[in-house]
Amino acid sequence: MIEGFWEPMTAHGRKPFPGWAPRRSVAGIATAALFAMALWGCTGAQGGGNRPRAEEGTLDLRAWSFATGPADLDGTWEFCWGSLYSPADFHGAAEPGARGTIKVPSTWISARNRGGSLPAYGHATYRLTVLLPEEAPRLSLRVPASDTAYRLFVNGRELFANGRVGRDSASSQPLHYAPVYLGLPQAASLEILMQMSNHDFPRPGLRDSLLLGDARALRWESEKSLALDLFVVGAIFIMAIYHLGLFYLRQSDRSSLYFALFCLSTLARLLVTGEGAAYRFTPVTWEIGSKLEYLTLAGWAVALLFLRSFFPREISLKVLVPVNAVIAALSGVVIAAPVAVFSRMLLVFDIVSILMIAYVLFALGLALARRREYAAVCTAGIVVFFAAVVNDMLLGYRLVDSVYVMPYGLFVFFFVQSYLLSSRFSHAFTMVEDLSHTLEERVVERTRELELERNKLEKINRLMDEEIDMARRLQEQLIPMKGPADFISTLYHPMRKVGGDFFDFIQFRDTDRIGIVICDVSGHGVSAAFITSMVKTILLQAGGRKNDPAELIKYMNAILYGNTAGSFCSMFYGIYNRRERSILYVNAGHNYPLIIDDGGIRVLKGEQGTILGVFDNGQIEAMRKGYTAAEERLPAGGKLLLYTDGLTEARHMDGGEVFFMDEAMNEVLLAHRSMPCGEFTGALFRRLVEFRGSDSFEDDVAIVCLDIV
């Protein structure tokens, strides 16, 4: 039974740790003592008396009490290089030959084969027999995180496989870099067999101890370790967000930004190491996790920038530029290349990290010698962290027999770093407080002056509001709020209190004829409303030109040209003959009217002339864009709809790019075509408001609807 817990506990954490700043060495000593006690506690927890050791592939635990804790399976295991044996192979008539032994934990590179070391890439079989006490509790096996693909058998039964085990790179690849907890069967002894293959990573084999112990105790230890990992991850993430907020509020000081970025780069490694939270809660694979871990080298770049923000004379740009170039190149290799390529550069990554550690310590030594502020405690925190980095590197190469202490180094560093930044901001805040006392009287005086100005502005605003209300009332007098006959309906909805859309009707002696004008002035508000009043005045002065749409439009353009302060307007003017059901019209750059009947929707698409107020009539004629009247008979029982672009180009309140005319307009026009024009106009506007999600629009809306009877 597989419990399914994973824990990457890699040995090659690498990151710089910039600064901190207490002014008393007591804080640094206390921090170092805290780290030493934590380290002692870790080693003490795993140290231990006369533990049984495996000898020649057999581990005798018959005298071991699992109540005292789990037993590690360290010692010499049986080892078969270049072969992938199954449990049945060891119980047949002919047992495997060429069987040797290997020390666990270690890499198989350390094993000897015909007088030389084994290669890093290949495959092998590990085997261990464990003799158990008669009354052993329900046991579980903790298999450490491994970069090497493996299959694990216990008493002939396969319990777990980390990826694919094969004899070449095409058939072999690990899946997860995380520890596994496996429930074991009750038995007097355990035969543990592991097939392992490696074609990707330079440190293959069982590099860490397997643990055998009470199932509940191992699970409890795993949950505690996972909780600690998640606590550290959550704390660092909160610190990153907090310092990003500080940088947002005070962008002149980039130290908070560099620290936040370093926190985020550290999170990636923490999530794919330790108890492997990323593997437990996300679909992260071994390859992705390996890339994330190696990419934490980029933390050096922001760490050095952070240190330079405190010690600009000690951290030289001449060093930073090439260092960042090297880090960028190595990061590019990690991103672009498969694990089998960049993992072989592990030594390069470690050398770069060691060189950076040496340079940072040199720079901090200069800062101490020059008595820079914050240098003492900053150095103490970084030294503790660097010690943890070096320890984990050496442990990864199995050059020392210790434990992984990176979380403790991170804790010390971030504690020191938080103190440093807090000291800086506290100092800045104290300066602000001092300045605030000096500025307080000036603020009071300035506030009094601003109140006087505010009162003046409020009075001016009231006067402006009154004038705009007056303009609105005047515009309401200019625009007819109802049609001149029952078969004509209107709707006007300005974007603001006053708008730039306009329509009007012209009465003739022949009561069967009605002139219909609709126009749209560029812009909105008072300036556009002023031009609509000019249009109304020109209509009143047009005289007999009203009988000829082309002449009226030309007359309108002649007066507007040069008198609109850069504005312009589109206009449609038509003379509807009710008796003949025809319309004589000119379109000066306005939206095409729509004809709606049982046959569908079509446009009244005569020749469209140039908008008004941009060119004089002579220029328009020269461009062959003059105003020519057209006449068309209209279908009985249908409708003629005139409108401005505030109707067709209305959009959703959420800022989408879909217009009313594209999504809903045709549907509502056809659905309500049989209604009288007044009800039809109301239904159209209600659908427009529903589509928009509000009765507030981005443009003025004007509608004239005519029932063709």
Side-chain angles (χ1 to χ4, degrees):
M1 174 180 177
I2 299 174
E3 300 291 342
F5 301 114
W6 295 321
E7 159 203 23
M9 301 202 313
T10 94
H12 44 278
R14 55 185 71 73
K15 298 181 177 37
F17 271 66
W20 143 7
R23 300 182 183 180
R24 300 177 182 175
S25 59
V26 175
I29 296 172
T31 303
L34 174 64
F35 177 81
M37 287 187 291
L39 180 58
W40 177 85
C42 289
T43 55
Q46 293 191 10
N50 297 317
R51 289 176 175 268
R53 304 278 297 179
E55 299 290 344
E56 301 297 325
T58 301
L59 176 62
D60 189 350
L61 295 179
R62 286 176 293 185
W64 179 262
S65 172
F66 287 99
T68 62
D72 59 60
L73 306 187
D74 295 352
T76 54
W77 289 39
E78 284 189 55
F79 182 72
C80 301
W81 170 249
S83 301
L84 296 175
Y85 291 123
S86 68
D89 293 329
F90 289 90
H91 299 284
E95 294 189 9
R99 294 156 64 178
T101 60
I102 190 171
K103 179 183 177 183
V104 175
S106 69
T107 65
W108 71 45
I109 300 174
S110 62
R112 310 297 294 179
N113 182 38
R114 297 179 182 176
S117 298
L118 293 177
Y121 306 104
H123 52 278
T125 302
Y126 288 75
R127 183 171 178 263
L128 177 70
T129 300
V130 183
L131 306 178
L132 299 176
E134 292 183 359
E135 298 181 357
R138 180 74 175 180
L139 298 177
S140 286
L141 179 66
R142 180 188 184 278
V143 184
S146 176
D147 295 292
T148 308
Y150 66 84
R151 295 173 65 193
L152 187 141
F153 300 82
V154 175
N155 288 352
R157 177 187 172 193
E158 182 174 357
L159 295 188
F160 186 76
N162 180 29
R164 305 189 311 270
V165 176
R167 290 177 169 80
D168 53 41
S169 59
S171 61
S172 173
Q173 184 179 28
L175 180 63
H176 293 291
Y177 183 64
V180 180
Y181 294 78
L182 305 172
L184 300 179
Q186 292 286 121
S189 64
L190 300 173
E191 180 193 44
I192 301 172
L193 183 141
M194 295 184 71
Q195 298 176 353
M196 306 192 80
S197 64
N198 175 66
H199 299 277
D200 298 290
F201 203 67
R203 295 181 303 177
L206 292 174
R207 303 199 317 267
D208 297 294
S209 299
L210 283 76
L211 295 180
L212 182 67
D214 181 87
R216 289 177 296 178
L218 281 180
R219 182 180 181 122
W220 173 242
E221 290 299 323
S222 170
E223 294 299 331
K224 286 196 300 182
S225 181
L226 176 63
L228 176 61
D229 285 355
L230 293 178
F231 172 79
V232 173
V233 167
I236 294 176
F237 178 74
I238 291 172
M239 292 176 70
I241 298 302
Y242 173 73
H243 285 89
L244 283 175
L246 290 181
F247 172 71
Y248 177 78
L249 296 174
R250 190 165 179 252
Q251 298 184 18
S252 60
D253 184 358
R254 295 190 177 184
S255 58
S256 295
L257 173 64
Y258 298 144
F259 178 64
L261 293 177
F262 183 73
C263 287
L264 294 176
S265 70
T266 303
L267 285 179
R269 182 184 186 279
L270 291 177
L271 288 171
V272 296
T273 58
E275 282 294 326
Y279 297 112
R280 293 187 59 175
F281 302 116
T282 69
V284 171
T285 64
W286 168 79
E287 184 166 2
I288 295 175
S290 296
K291 286 180 179 287
L292 290 175
E293 184 180 0
Y294 273 70
L295 284 174
T296 55
L297 179 69
W300 276 111
V302 289
L304 290 174
L305 290 172
F306 170 79
L307 275 179
R308 193 172 189 278
S309 69
F310 284 92
F311 311 113
R313 295 188 178 182
E314 284 71 32
I315 305 293
S316 172
L317 278 177
K318 294 180 179 180
V319 174
L320 282 184
V321 172
V323 165
N324 289 343
V326 170
I327 290 174
L330 291 175
S331 299
V333 172
V334 172
I335 294 172
V339 177
V341 174
F342 67 76
S343 66
R344 303 187 186 199
M345 302 171 60
L346 176 61
L347 183 60
V348 176
F349 283 76
D350 288 340
I351 290 174
V352 170
S353 298
I354 291 172
L355 291 176
M356 292 304 98
I357 289 174
Y359 177 70
V360 168
L361 292 177
F362 171 75
L364 290 176
L366 290 179
L368 285 171
R370 296 168 181 173
R371 299 182 180 274
R372 303 294 188 199
E373 187 177 16
Y374 307 128
V377 180
C378 181
T379 302
I382 289 180
V383 166
V384 170
F385 172 69
F386 283 171
V389 172
V390 172
N391 173 82
D392 286 9
M393 282 185 184
L394 296 176
L395 182 58
Y397 287 103
R398 309 310 303 180
L399 298 177
V400 296
D401 186 14
S402 62
V403 295
Y404 296 104
V405 293
M406 182 62 70
Y408 297 97
L410 285 173
F411 171 79
V412 171
F413 169 74
F414 285 119
F415 174 79
V416 171
Q417 168 58 25
S418 298
Y419 181 88
L420 184 149
L421 288 177
S422 298
S423 297
R424 278 188 104 176
F425 279 98
S426 175
H427 180 64
F429 182 72
T430 301
M431 293 180 63
V432 170
E433 281 187 324
D434 293 339
L435 290 173
S436 66
H437 292 301
T438 305
L439 295 175
E440 187 173 352
E441 293 183 358
R442 294 184 182 180
V443 171
V444 171
E445 181 181 352
R446 185 58 179 161
T447 301
R448 189 180 302 111
E449 295 175 356
L450 291 174
E451 287 179 351
L452 294 175
E453 293 296 326
R454 183 196 63 188
N455 294 335
K456 292 179 182 179
L457 289 174
E458 287 179 348
K459 182 177 181 180
I460 293 172
N461 287 337
R462 284 196 298 270
L463 293 174
M464 291 179 64
D465 287 340
E466 292 174 0
E467 291 177 357
I468 291 175
D469 287 337
M470 176 64 72
R472 178 180 55 80
R473 290 193 293 270
L474 290 174
Q475 189 175 45
E476 289 175 351
Q477 298 298 317
L478 296 178
I479 299 177
M481 292 296 106
K482 61 181 294 186
D486 292 341
F487 60 88
I488 298 178
S489 65
T490 64
L491 185 143
Y492 180 64
H493 189 90
M495 174 185 173
R496 299 172 184 167
K497 289 187 177 181
V498 292
D501 288 3
F502 172 79
F503 57 81
D504 201 3
F505 302 97
I506 299 174
Q507 303 286 348
F508 296 99
R509 291 182 181 179
D510 182 356
T511 57
D512 285 331
R513 299 170 68 218
I514 297 176
I516 305 173
V517 178
I518 186 168
C519 75
D520 186 353
V521 179
S522 62
H524 310 285
V526 175
S527 61
F530 180 76
I531 295 177
T532 63
S533 68
M534 292 176 60
V535 172
K536 177 70 173 182
T537 302
I538 296 170
L539 287 175
L540 294 174
Q541 297 175 352
R545 298 180 182 87
K546 300 173 186 176
N547 291 292
D548 186 341
E551 288 300 318
L552 178 63
I553 293 295
K554 291 178 183 178
Y555 177 66
M556 183 75 67
N557 184 65
I559 298 177
L560 291 178
Y561 176 69
N563 295 305
T564 58
S567 296
F568 56 87
C569 72
S570 64
M571 179 177 290
F572 177 92
Y573 174 50
I575 300 175
Y576 175 65
N577 190 318
R578 184 181 183 189
R579 182 176 59 256
E580 298 180 2
R581 293 197 299 276
S582 65
I583 185 167
L584 180 68
Y585 64 92
V586 170
N587 190 332
H590 197 72
N591 303 93
Y592 290 114
L594 300 178
I595 300 172
I596 309 155
D597 61 7
D598 292 339
I601 302 171
R602 62 187 178 92
V603 298
L604 189 64
K605 198 169 185 180
E607 184 176 347
Q608 191 178 56
T610 305
I611 55 179
L612 306 179
V614 177
F615 306 103
D616 63 29
N617 288 332
Q619 293 174 309
I620 293 174
E621 292 296 334
M623 293 187 296
R624 298 182 181 180
K625 293 289 185 179
Y627 305 110
T628 304
E631 186 172 10
E632 186 165 338
R633 295 186 65 83
L634 304 176
K639 285 181 169 55
L640 179 65
L641 183 69
L642 295 88
Y643 54 90
T644 58
D645 58 11
L647 171 69
T648 55
E649 296 180 4
R651 298 183 297 180
H652 291 287
M653 282 290 291
D654 61 9
E657 295 300 325
V658 179
F659 295 126
F660 180 62
M661 66 178 178
D662 297 325
E663 182 171 302
M665 182 170 166
N666 288 353
E667 177 185 349
V668 69
L669 294 181
L670 292 173
H672 301 295
R673 64 183 183 278
S674 61
M675 290 182 174
C677 60
E679 297 178 15
F680 177 85
T681 304
L684 176 60
F685 185 71
R686 287 192 297 274
R687 183 65 181 92
L688 176 66
V689 171
E690 179 184 346
F691 170 82
R692 169 73 173 166
S694 169
D695 61 357
S696 173
F697 297 94
E698 298 175 341
D699 198 357
D700 307 323
V701 178
I703 301 174
V704 176
C705 183
L706 183 147
D707 283 334
I708 305 170
V709 296

